[in-house]
Amino acid sequence: MSAVPRYARRELALIGAGAAVTLGALVTTVVLTHAEYSAYPRYEAVAPYSFRGMTRMDMGEGLGAAAASDPGGRIEDAFTHYYTGGAGDGSELTVTASIGDFHDATAALVRDSHTLLSETPGVTSADDTWTADAGAYGGWMQCSRYVEDLTGTPKAVCFWADRGSMGSVTFKASDMPHADIEQLARMTRQTVLRPSS
């Protein structure tokens, strides 16, 4: 039986180059996939002191309370603001939001309306629930109409989430059509949060 000939230098160089290209492609794919998966939009809280003729009253403790309730350290800031006053018609609006690293968020986060509504004060059941357009910031939004248990006030609540923020907007909505409810929720979200670089 004859001996197997040794690889020539040229063949070894080609094998080495092929292995380097394959390894480089694999590393690049893994790095880019991880970067894309872990990327998320960044926001800063910029809630104005007045909005649509209403005046803001702060109700949350912001970062300290959010950080204490988030052992994973994903929440960078959180707030709840209550707006009231308006045109003397008893207008009111409550916005609650968290900003941070929610890169693994999915549509299911806002589409599980039973869980979200059960955590909303004064709500035992929704009369009407629908998927809404999340607007310029993207992500997902779902809205519901309900009657507040304690006061009997017809209200709407819209929950949103993207990979950098999540929150809700609640306001009086006795006869507002879906499109107006969605528009007010999107406008509120874009008023209290600003993309940061």
Side-chain angles (χ1 to χ4, degrees), residues 18-190:
V21 167
T22 302
L23 181 61
L26 179 63
V27 169
T28 301
T29 300
V30 168
V31 168
L32 291 177
T33 301
H34 176 73
E36 180 181 329
Y37 174 74
S38 61
Y40 63 95
R42 271 113 172 138
Y43 299 98
E44 58 181 315
V46 292
Y49 286 98
S50 64
F51 175 65
R52 294 175 55 99
M54 297 177 284
T55 304
R56 184 181 97 190
M57 296 190 309
D58 297 338
M59 298 178 70
E61 294 183 20
L63 183 59
S69 65
D70 177 33
R74 296 173 6 145
I75 297 176
E76 296 168 11
D77 198 0
F79 61 85
T80 297
H81 297 303
Y82 178 72
Y83 287 89
T84 188
D89 60 356
S91 298
E92 61 182 50
L93 178 144
T94 304
V95 58
T96 299
S98 296
I99 54 178
D101 178 0
F102 308 118
H103 70 264
D104 54 355
T106 64
L109 191 62
V110 296
R111 304 265 162 78
D112 184 5
S113 60
H114 297 296
T115 301
L116 292 170
L117 287 170
S118 70
E119 295 173 0
T120 303
V123 180
T124 52
S125 66
D127 300 328
D128 184 17
T129 298
W130 68 97
T131 300
D133 175 10
Y137 288 178
W140 312 275
M141 185 178 284
Q142 180 151 312
C143 299
S144 297
R145 256 188 237 277
Y146 66 95
V147 175
E148 192 173 54
D149 296 338
L150 187 61
T151 64
T153 304
K155 290 193 169 186
V157 59
C158 293
F159 299 100
W160 85 81
D162 61 32
R163 290 181 163 84
S165 73
M166 59 180 64
S168 67
V169 183
T170 307
F171 47 89
K172 290 183 179 181
S174 57
D175 56 358
M176 290 176 75
H178 285 191
D180 291 350
I181 290 171
E182 294 174 26
Q183 180 60 27
L184 180 53
R186 285 189 295 268
M187 182 188 309
T188 304
R189 177 186 179 196
Q190 291 171 227

